[in-house]
Amino acid sequence: MANDETKTVLDDASVAAVRLMLNKLADHDVAEAYEATGGQGPISDLAAEAMRARNIDL
């Protein structure tokens, strides 16, 4: 289990793959992906980026 001091970093290929998957999701699914991560970590950051780009509100 990660603690507050643990930082997860995705490599460039993983970032590209997550962005591709988020782009294929419906708006509500992108919001669910963000909520599922608790708003923390690299996947959450990418989901938040997608939400801003697509004007998705929680």
Side-chain angles (χ1 to χ4, degrees):
M1 194 108 203
N3 62 32
D4 290 338
E5 296 178 19
T6 302
K7 176 138 177 110
T8 303
V9 178
L10 299 178
D11 62 22
D12 291 340
S14 295
V15 168
V18 170
R19 280 190 177 129
L20 176 66
M21 287 184 274
L22 289 169
N23 285 336
K24 292 184 176 287
L25 293 175
D27 290 354
H28 68 276
D29 293 326
V30 174
E32 282 190 36
Y34 177 81
E35 289 176 343
T37 61
Q40 297 181 354
I43 304 235
S44 176
D45 294 343
L46 292 169
E49 175 185 297
M51 289 170 63
R52 281 189 299 275
R54 293 164 60 174
N55 294 320
I56 301 170
D57 291 326
L58 286 178

